Amino acid sequence: MPRTDPYTRFVRSAPGAAIASRLGLPRPARLPRRADRSAAVLDPVVVLGSTAGADQVARTLLGWGADVRRRFEDVRTVGSVVVVLDELADPRELSDALLPLARAMRRLAPAARVVTISRPATGGRQRPAVEAARGGVEGFVRSLAHELRAGATAGGILVADGVALDAPGVTGTLRFLLSSRSAFVDGQLLTVASSAGELPTAWDRPLEGRTALVTGAARGIGAAIARTLAADGARVVLLDVPAAGTDLARLANELRGVPLQLDVTAPDAGARLVAHCRSHGLVLDIVVHNAGITRDKLFANMTAERWDPVIAVNLASQIALDEALLASGEGTEAGVLAVAPRFVSLASTSGIAGNRGQTNYAASKAGVITLMPALAHALEAGGGTANAVAPGFIETDMTARMPPIPREIARRANSLQQGGLPVDVAEAVAFLASGPAGGLRGETLRVCGQNLVGR
Ligand code: NAD
């Protein structure tokens, strides 16, 4: 699969760029990925804010070796901006806190990052002015993301009251949002609910020593997830249907992983997965439910033949496999799940906004999103978590099969004016599977370039 589509290649050529500029056509920016830009942070990084939390964040960034400044006046070009707003008491404070950034917008580097760190609204447990100020930050981030250009993105971290700004979840989320690993994550805010989780010994191998199961791993996004988890240090167990056995074996060979041919909807799938883990001495730290199918049809023409398999593969199979894994005993002698396991599921922006012709698919993916908090709650006592990734338009075999005009519209309808790559989804999965993400519970992270649908 090429990294760019034909239109993007055309408007990046000299004659194409001239025509696009004259006609005012979109010119999607190049988005550096991990392979293009490995540094944790694009320097210099300006940390705005005058609280003890802001000082703490500046120290964290200095600890990564970043070139940290506290005012824009000191720099010509700005690589990253972190705005720390952890003690907001009134919406009128937003002006002083944010407007220095307005004056520096034209100095942002290509693929710059802007990240806010603030507290989440609590549904009324704080004073009205506090709740209003907190909500204001979310609206600001979502709108700023629409305005940024040249592959720059905006994101936010909502740190629950009582959680310190040096908690692993805050540090890990900040590192993810500032890095090139979040190239296609735009306009999203993630909540760090607790101080749980731990920092990795080495940031470039955050999954060293972990074992990860990936379902639907033979191709597309699943194969990218397996490659990314393996590159991050994990041993991978690759599951797919027997019909995909050749691709599965090839990938297992490449990654020195363990293949497992299994239909996740088989009545005995859970028992067979547990038996396979036991016979290979595998104890899973990470479970990635990626296997998914579409059977699109307008609802007026929907049949059980199209509805049932989509719910079975995309949603019901996850519940059944999770039950079997949990029943084997978490962190016990006979168990095939490690202590504090990380579950990550693939949702979709269709499950958030709905999509014409996808009532079955959207029902399955919306179900994944609401399953996450429930599963996270069940895992919490043992230190485990469950979170989802909701991709938007990603360049895969699934989207290559779309008719050309709807495909082109879907591909451009986001703030970054391009489709994402499987690796973008994989990076988000790897982040949610990592130690620092232990403080994130039941979240759904959109990887959609701020797709213009849904909330
Ligand atoms: P894909 O069709 O390329 O790959 C899906 C994989 O799942 C295949 O290898 C397939 O054999 C496997 N699979 C299907 N049914 C299975 C079963 N019963 N048991 C075991 N394995 C099974 O799809 P993709 O584009 O890589 O999508 C991966 C995930 O991402 C899916 O959950 C999909 O819904 C989701 N997603 C994709 C996009 C996108 O733009 N491609 C957007 C949003 C969400």
Side-chain angles (χ1 to χ4, degrees):
M1 193 71 49
R3 277 183 59 144
T4 49
D5 57 88
Y7 171 84
T8 300
R9 284 197 291 280
F10 173 68
V11 295
R12 282 187 189 155
S13 68
I19 292 170
S21 156
R22 214 166 35 244
L23 299 179
L25 297 173
R27 280 196 288 164
R30 263 176 230 283
L31 306 181
R33 267 66 179 209
R34 185 200 304 208
D36 314 303
R37 195 178 91 195
S38 59
V41 180
L42 186 59
D43 283 328
V45 51
V46 178
V47 177
L48 296 178
S50 52
T51 62
D55 296 342
Q56 175 57 57
V57 169
R59 280 197 297 278
T60 298
L61 290 159
L62 284 168
W64 298 341
D67 174 5
V68 180
R69 314 293 177 95
R70 299 302 294 266
R71 357 177 294 146
F72 288 109
E73 285 71 12
D74 296 342
V75 287
R76 270 169 172 264
T77 305
V78 181
S80 316
V81 181
V82 182
V83 193
V84 184
L85 302 156
D86 58 325
E87 292 184 17
L88 279 181
D90 188 287
R92 283 169 292 194
E93 293 169 13
L94 290 170
S95 168
D96 281 352
L98 298 174
L99 292 187
L101 171 58
R103 293 187 285 276
M105 285 288 281
R106 291 193 174 80
R107 284 190 274 149
L108 290 179
R113 295 284 187 272
V114 178
V115 178
T116 60
I117 302 180
S118 59
R119 303 282 182 192
T122 64
R125 288 196 303 280
Q126 297 285 339
R127 285 186 302 107
V130 173
E131 298 281 15
R134 292 179 176 194
V137 176
E138 298 189 34
F140 166 74
V141 169
R142 293 204 178 94
S143 290
L144 182 72
H146 284 299
E147 292 185 17
L148 290 171
R149 292 285 169 266
T153 60
I157 309 174
L158 301 171
V159 187
D161 289 296
V163 176
L165 297 203
D166 60 352
V170 181
T171 304
T173 308
L174 180 63
R175 192 159 170 125
F176 171 70
L177 290 176
L178 287 176
S179 75
S180 52
R181 295 180 176 219
S182 61
F184 202 59
V185 176
D186 201 8
Q188 305 304 307
L189 296 109
L190 280 165
T191 300
V192 177
S194 80
S195 305
E198 65 288 325
L199 297 181
T201 322
W203 281 105
D204 58 341
R205 301 272 294 174
L207 302 179
E208 194 72 63
R210 310 277 168 98
T211 300
L213 169 73
V214 183
T215 72
R219 67 173 199 207
I221 292 172
I225 293 170
R227 287 195 173 97
T228 301
L229 298 182
D232 278 353
R235 179 183 192 198
V236 285
V237 183
L238 309 168
L239 182 156
D240 213 302
V241 288
T246 309
D247 287 343
L248 195 67
R250 196 177 302 125
L251 187 63
N253 222 11
E254 175 192 323
L255 303 178
R256 298 182 183 189
V258 181
L260 169 56
Q261 293 186 13
L262 183 64
D263 181 337
V264 291
T265 64
D268 61 348
R272 286 179 53 196
L273 172 60
V274 171
H276 185 81
C277 289
R278 284 203 179 118
S279 67
H280 287 75
L282 300 165
V283 177
L284 304 175
D285 302 275
I286 298 161
V287 177
V288 182
H289 290 293
N290 163 79
I293 57 169
T294 50
R295 296 284 183 273
D296 296 357
K297 214 48 155 181
L298 288 180
F299 191 61
N301 302 322
M302 188 58 71
T303 58
E305 286 71 39
R306 287 185 173 270
W307 182 277
D308 292 346
V310 171
I311 301 293
V313 177
N314 298 2
L315 183 56
S317 72
Q318 297 192 18
I319 300 170
L321 290 186
D322 292 351
E323 279 174 2
L325 291 170
L326 287 164
S328 79
E330 205 177 315
T332 63
E333 187 81 10
V336 298
L337 268 187
V339 177
R342 299 287 147 83
F343 287 76
V344 187
S345 289
L346 268 287
S348 164
T349 50
S350 294
I352 296 169
N355 200 12
R356 189 180 147 82
Q358 291 201 315
T359 48
N360 50 356
Y361 185 73
S364 73
K365 295 300 188 180
V368 168
I369 292 169
T370 49
L371 173 64
M372 292 303 106
L375 182 58
H377 182 71
L379 293 166
E380 196 178 343
T385 64
N387 294 287
V389 173
F393 185 99
I394 305 296
E395 305 284 356
T396 63
D397 292 341
M398 197 185 252
T399 48
R401 283 195 300 268
M402 289 171 71
I405 290 174
R407 184 175 65 216
E408 191 53 19
I409 293 170
R411 178 184 272 148
R412 300 289 158 222
N414 64 64
S415 293
L416 298 170
Q417 302 176 321
Q418 59 195 289
L421 301 178
V423 71
D424 297 326
V425 181
E427 294 284 15
V429 170
F431 159 61
L432 292 172
S434 69
L440 280 70
R441 287 200 302 251
E443 294 284 296
T444 292
L445 171 58
R446 288 172 61 153
V447 180
C448 65
Q450 200 180 30
N451 199 320
L452 306 177
V453 296
R455 50 196 161 91

